[in-house]
Amino acid sequence: MNHGIAPGWSRIAATYVPVTLGIVFVLSSLVKMFSDNQVIVDHLVAVGLSTGAAIGTSSLLPLAELLIGLILCLRFKLPVFLAVSLSLLAGFSLFVVLLLFRYQTTEVDCGCGLPGSPNLAWTLVRNGLLLVANATALVVVRRNQRAADSG
């Protein structure tokens, strides 16, 4: 059953979106690993984490992104890791919303580690697009898996 998604788009969502998301996670993690994470620590403290917890989180986050990204690129257990990446992206987006409320401006470095980092509003737009792509891939992969299991 098609559920309204054209077969060509369904194949793209199931095949290429997970790998693309994986590449985004890997690149994001590498940029964070090789840049000063003080901006992220400051943001985490601004939303209520202790300094120690903020330092720990900012150190572990790139490792988690790298692991999830590599697993998505390898297409291992896609439904599980697409759900994990969807949760991580939703968490990042919630964090950005909290920062927008905390700072009352969008002109704040997103903490991506890139020169000329986008402000928080553009970060939220990017995350929204990634969330839609991630959710679409998860739905298609799970539907395909159910069809394969019943067929």
Side-chain angles (χ1 to χ4, degrees):
M1 188 182 300
N2 193 332
H3 298 291
I5 299 175
W9 288 108
S10 177
R11 190 169 142 256
I12 289 170
T15 305
Y16 301 110
V17 170
V19 174
T20 303
L21 287 166
I23 291 168
V24 168
F25 274 104
V26 167
L27 292 175
S28 176
S29 71
L30 292 175
V31 169
K32 287 182 183 105
M33 284 181 189
F34 296 106
S35 65
D36 180 19
N37 66 355
Q38 188 59 48
V39 172
I40 297 172
V41 171
D42 292 343
H43 288 339
L44 290 167
V45 169
V47 296
L49 261 64
S50 69
T51 302
I55 291 170
T57 301
S58 69
S59 298
L60 292 176
L61 179 63
L63 296 175
E65 283 182 309
L66 179 63
L67 180 64
I68 292 166
L70 291 174
I71 290 170
L72 287 172
C73 286
L74 295 172
R75 301 179 45 75
F76 179 74
K77 296 208 180 258
L78 274 183
V80 171
F81 285 98
L82 282 168
V84 169
S85 65
L86 185 66
S87 300
L88 192 58
L89 284 168
F92 288 160
S93 299
L94 177 61
F95 179 64
V96 170
V97 169
L98 290 172
L99 290 174
L100 286 168
F101 280 113
R102 170 67 177 94
Y103 292 124
Q104 298 293 308
T105 181
T106 61
E107 298 303 317
V108 177
D109 185 337
C110 72
C112 305
L114 297 172
S117 289
N119 66 32
L120 293 178
W122 283 112
T123 300
L124 203 53
V125 169
R126 178 204 61 211
N127 286 3
L129 293 171
L130 291 172
L131 280 164
V132 168
N134 196 148
T136 302
L138 178 58
V139 167
V140 170
V141 166
R142 291 186 81 190
R143 186 193 72 211
N144 291 349
Q145 187 178 41
R146 281 194 303 271
D149 290 345
S150 66

